[in-house]
């Protein structure tokens, strides 16, 4: 755990923490920003109800602050500000993945979070000028944030050995759950007791501390094991020999092969189905707890965070168990399918069950919701790491593709929930959970039956240019013999890559000890 690749994982964890902390902080802060006579609750059918938009629902009582709100923003202005992040977030997923592949995830992720942090600390100043500046800043933050997770995927594709891929990737991404929970909890206290009228301190502290992470990121991290100054030769050899690839300076994506890949489409379906459930709960869970379970808002806030605490714990433990199973018991393909199918079916069953629990047994409903979201945590050893399995070289681009399409549920799912619950009854909410259950069943069938982990042939192309070193394009009399020798070596490497591509998965153990379960 003290290796260079795990130091990278720790920094990615903190980076994921800030990616979500800077996204959701305004959902709590806006409760304190507007004057008490102005409603701060977003509707369930608000356009582009983002992950953060209904956290203001969770925390409206946190606004019983000693500071007085400064702005007379009406409900439509507040909804526009809360949803503006996703206007930008949709557009740079795929370009962000390409940029991470071309220039390295270190530069892209570090630059993007620098932009997000700068926009965050500027927000209190510009908010006092005009609300349109807040809207513009949130769009800019969405644009920059759109490249963050594809960059994380690109970094994991170059640093995570196949035998550690599940636990390293799940740990890196688990930071966003902690970021959401911590920002909600501490922002409530800052609203009441912080400086700059309370709400301003939320942006200064979250944005300011992110700059510290940016400095550490650029100082300690390298794009690849080969370019790292701190990695040991033994660890470098282990990673490079396990992954068997080097970064290209002339990064080109085989787009036709990518978009026609069966593995990509199966992964995309799973990503979309999971996000339907995820965004439904993120945006509508507080409303369900209020309308059906009748929790007051203070209880609502704490109880709505419990499921995501369960998700964090399950994602960490699940990643370690997944890598153990892959190493000693079952294939990578079966591990991914088993984890994701269990995630979908377990979460879907619990959500359908929640629809039948009334206010008299509301503790049971909270338990079922926690178990459902806990099951979702298994996805980090399922479809979430599958991009890296079948195309580690292009993992950032592929994640950008699937996440772009899978952001659509963030817009549509809350709209559907609003349409299905006009009278706010338990029976109507039951239909919302039926829809979630339907998507999880579809995802379990598609991913559980067709997911692929074999390295795609288009991922293992021969490398003409190594990272940072340009090969001569023409032969001369002085280097002809050397070029021929290099050509023979490339042919050997290409043959090796093709052989690796035909294995059950990248990094699948070549031999299994006698007596191990299969």
């Amino acid at each position: 755990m003290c290796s260079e690749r795990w130091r990278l994982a720790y920094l990615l964890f903190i980076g994921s923490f800030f990616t979500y902390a800077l996204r959701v902080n305004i959902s709590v802060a806006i409760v304190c920003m507007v004057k008490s006579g102005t409603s701060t609750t977003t509707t369930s059918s608000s356009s582009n109800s983002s992950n953060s938009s209904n956290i203001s629902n969770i925390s409206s009582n946190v606004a019983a602050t000693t500071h007085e709100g400064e702005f007379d923003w009406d409900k439509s202005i507040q909804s526009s500000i809360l949803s503006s992040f996703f206007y930008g977030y949709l557009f740079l997923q795929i370009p962000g993945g390409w940029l991470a592949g071309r220039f390295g995830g270190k530069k892209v992720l570090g630059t993007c979070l620098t932009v997000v942090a700068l926009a965050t600390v500027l927000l209190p100043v510009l908010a006092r000028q005009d609300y349109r500046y807040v809207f513009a800043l949130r769009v800019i933050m969405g644009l920059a944030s759109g490249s963050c997770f594809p960059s994380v995927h690109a970094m994991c594709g170059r640093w995570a050995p196949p035998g550690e891929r599940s636990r390293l990737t799940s740990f890196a991404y688990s930071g966003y759950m902690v970021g959401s929970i911590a920002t909600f909890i501490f922002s409530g206290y800052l609203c009441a007791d912080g400086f700059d009228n309370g709400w301003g301190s939320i942006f200064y502290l979250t944005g300011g501390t992110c700059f510290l992470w940016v400095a550490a990121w650029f100082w300690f991290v390298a794009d690849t094991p080969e370019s790292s100054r701190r990695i040991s030769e033994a660890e470098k050899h282990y990673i490079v020999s396990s992954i068997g690839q080097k970064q290209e300076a002339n990064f080109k994506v085989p787009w036709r092969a990518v978009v026609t890949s069966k593995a990509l489409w199966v992964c995309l379906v799973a990503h979309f189905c999971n996000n339907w459930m995820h965004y439904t709960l993120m945006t509508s869970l507080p409303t369900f707890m209020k309308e059906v379970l009748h929790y007051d808002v203070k209880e609502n806030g704490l109880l709505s965070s419990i499921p995501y605490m369960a998700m964090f714990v399950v994602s960490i433990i699940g990643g370690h168990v997944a890598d153990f199973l892959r190493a000693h018991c079952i294939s990578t393909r079966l591990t991914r399918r088993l984890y994701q199918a269990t995630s979908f079916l377990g979460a879907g069953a619990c959500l359908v069950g929640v629809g039948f629990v009334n206010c008299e047994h509301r503790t049971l409903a909270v338990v079922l919701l926690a178990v459902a979201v806990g099951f979702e945590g298994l996805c980090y050893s399922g479809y979430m790491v599958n991009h890296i399995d079948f195309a580690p070289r292009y993992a950032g681009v592929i994640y950008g593709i699937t996440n772009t399409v899978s952001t659509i549920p963030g817009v549509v799912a809350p709209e559907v929930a609003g349409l299905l619950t006009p009278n706010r009854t338990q029976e109507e909410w039951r239909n919302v959970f039926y829809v979630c259950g339907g998507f999880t069943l579809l995802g379990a069938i598609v991913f559980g039956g067709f997911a692929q982990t074999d390295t795609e042939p288009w991922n293992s192309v021969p490398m003409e240019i190594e990272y940072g070193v340009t090969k001569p394009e023409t032969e001369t009399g002085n280097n002809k013999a050397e070029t021929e020798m290099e050509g023979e070596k490339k042919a050997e490497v290409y043959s090796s890559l093709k052989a690796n591509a035909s294995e059950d998965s990248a990094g699948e153990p070549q031999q299994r000890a006698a007596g191990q379960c299969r």
Side-chain angles (χ1 to χ4, degrees), residues 8-260:
L8 170 68
Y10 300 143
L11 283 170
L12 287 173
F13 174 93
I14 301 172
S16 297
F17 175 98
F18 281 113
T19 298
Y20 256 68
L22 301 184
R23 179 189 301 192
V24 305
N25 54 15
I26 196 169
S27 297
V28 181
I30 201 169
V31 178
C32 313
M33 295 169 70
V34 299
K35 293 182 178 179
S36 57
T38 308
S39 172
T40 61
T41 304
T42 59
T43 65
S44 62
S45 58
S46 162
S47 64
N48 293 332
S49 296
S50 67
N51 295 3
S52 56
S53 63
N54 275 329
I55 295 182
S56 58
N57 294 345
I58 304 175
S59 54
S60 57
N61 239 16
V62 181
T65 170
T66 56
H67 301 291
E68 183 179 353
E70 301 179 32
F71 307 108
D72 286 312
W73 296 341
D74 61 28
K75 191 173 184 179
S76 71
I77 291 176
Q78 295 171 52
S79 297
S80 296
I81 290 172
L82 289 169
S83 62
S84 58
F85 178 92
F86 269 59
Y87 292 133
Y89 189 70
L90 276 168
F91 291 103
L92 288 186
Q93 299 278 339
I94 299 174
W98 181 86
L99 288 170
R102 175 65 180 84
F103 299 105
K106 171 185 175 179
K107 301 179 184 67
V108 176
L109 182 58
T111 301
C112 287
L113 276 181
T114 300
V115 172
V116 176
L118 180 61
T120 299
V121 298
L122 288 175
L123 195 146
V125 177
L126 296 181
R128 294 183 171 108
Q129 305 302 315
D130 195 305
Y131 78 88
R132 295 178 185 88
Y133 290 132
V134 180
F135 185 93
L137 285 174
R138 292 291 294 177
V139 172
I140 292 170
M141 292 170 66
L143 285 168
S145 297
S147 299
C148 289
F149 284 150
S151 298
V152 173
H153 247 59
M155 293 293 289
C156 290
R158 290 171 182 150
W159 277 90
E164 302 175 16
R165 192 167 283 162
S166 301
R167 57 184 182 271
L168 193 149
T169 303
S170 61
F171 178 79
Y173 275 102
S174 64
Y176 93 78
M177 308 168 213
V178 181
S180 298
I181 296 168
T183 301
F184 165 68
I185 294 173
F186 289 109
S187 292
Y189 288 107
L190 290 173
C191 266
D193 303 316
F195 58 90
D196 193 19
N197 210 25
W199 64 267
S201 61
I202 297 173
F203 299 104
Y204 291 130
L205 290 177
T206 54
T209 51
C210 185
F211 282 120
L212 299 177
W213 175 87
V214 169
W217 176 258
F218 279 116
W219 180 257
F220 291 107
V221 170
D223 283 311
T224 64
E226 296 95 330
S227 61
S228 175
R229 297 173 297 174
R230 295 175 174 82
I231 193 171
S232 66
E233 288 298 323
E235 184 182 5
K236 181 192 298 185
H237 175 74
Y238 168 61
I239 296 173
V240 173
S241 62
S242 297
I243 298 176
Q245 301 179 34
K246 294 184 180 180
Q247 181 179 348
E248 292 181 88
N250 185 21
F251 185 79
K252 294 182 180 179
V253 180
W255 290 107
R256 177 175 295 181
V258 169
V259 299
T260 57

